[in-house]
Amino acid sequence: MKIIMLGAPGAGKGTQAKMIAERYKIPHISTGDIFRANIKNNTELGLEAKKYMDQGLLVPDELTVKILLDRVAKEDCADGYVLDGFPRTIPQAQVLEDALARQGEKIDYAVNVDVPDENIVRRMSGRRACLKCGATYHVEHIPPKAEGICDTCGSELVLRDDDRPETVQNRLKVYHDQTQPLIDFYTARGVLKTVDGTADMQDVFSAITEILG
Ligand code: ADP
Ligand code: AMP
């Protein structure tokens, strides 16, 4: 099963994608996590991506598409995957569609996690991320067991540089300009499914599993 998660930054794509990956035993692939791991390790890719990410801008398509296509070509993706944060532009979606079509495949579901802009800034200022294992928490809604410490790997949790309110406004604008058109793109292909992302995280997950079966 090949699934795409759509939604504004902070809508809960990553939170749900991790639960989907566990339930359906498919890899969770987050381009944002791949970029953050590269930034942490000071790679050339990380240095390049950081220039854009810190301003709330998208990393250029050429760079992002290559990373994603390399990742989905790996053996663990043979039975499908859940993509979180990719595609974010129509050209990215088109390249993915063309690459899949060459193998006689296609995206099965594009799950749109719908959260209004008013809720997003609060979600993101409360988000705490583990840069080691990629786990995500929220100081009010989904707190870690011990404040500031990742439940999964024990590392320190951080407020992502791009989750500061000034950057969040830019990211929302970029979302509306460049990513929201994907809703029409996947509606036209008959695979778009929208869920109410303002609900409790378990209720959002139930709505998603009802769709995926
Ligand atoms: P995205 O991957 O779409 O950017 P995340 O999954 O990281 O979003 O979620 C953004 C923030 O909102 C995180 O702090 C997360 O813990 C919190 N969150 C996710 N889902 C919910 C929910 N259903 N209700 C409340 N908070 C949530
Ligand atoms: P995320 O973790 O999905 O919120 O992504 C964090 C940041 O990484 C985004 O604001 C972008 O700067 C960059 N990024 C992640 N995925 C993509 C993508 N598919 N295309 C372009 N930039 C991306």
Side-chain angles (χ1 to χ4, degrees), residues 13-14 47 66 73 104 135 149 158 184 191:
K13 299 181 297 294
L47 284 174
K66 182 176 182 319
I149 305 290
V158 297
D184 287 344
V191 295

Side-chain angles (χ1 to χ4, degrees), residues 7-16 84 123-124 126-128 136-139 141-142 160 171 197-202 204:
K13 299 181 297 294
T15 302
Q16 297 300 326
D84 158 20
R123 282 264 181 109
M124 290 168 87
R127 170 157 63 185
R128 294 295 178 272
T136 306
Y137 304 86
H138 190 281
V139 289
H141 310 301
I142 307 166
R160 279 168 40 180
R171 294 174 68 196
T198 64
D200 177 84
M201 118 181 161
Q202 287 300 340
V204 180

Side-chain angles (χ1 to χ4, degrees), residues 82-176:
V82 51
L83 301 185
D84 158 20
F86 186 99
R88 263 183 157 98
T89 64
I90 296 277
Q92 290 181 13
Q94 198 65 63
V95 171
L96 176 63
E97 185 171 73
D98 294 348
L100 287 173
R102 283 195 289 276
Q103 296 159 353
E105 293 172 8
K106 63 176 191 55
I107 291 298
D108 299 300
Y109 296 99
V111 178
N112 176 31
V113 184
D114 189 28
V115 174
D117 286 5
E118 304 85 84
N119 302 26
I120 292 291
V121 177
R122 201 156 9 104
R123 282 264 181 109
M124 290 168 87
S125 59
R127 170 157 63 185
R128 294 295 178 272
C130 175
L131 296 183
K132 185 154 180 232
C133 76
T136 306
Y137 304 86
H138 190 281
V139 289
E140 286 166 47
H141 310 301
I142 307 166
K145 293 194 182 84
E147 196 183 321
I149 305 290
C150 179
D151 292 352
T152 313
C153 74
S155 300
E156 193 187 345
L157 299 177
V158 297
L159 173 69
R160 279 168 40 180
D161 287 341
D162 59 347
D163 279 351
R164 295 175 198 286
E166 355 29 298
T167 314
V168 170
Q169 294 300 347
N170 280 346
R171 294 174 68 196
L172 271 175
K173 184 172 183 323
V174 166
Y175 167 74
H176 289 299

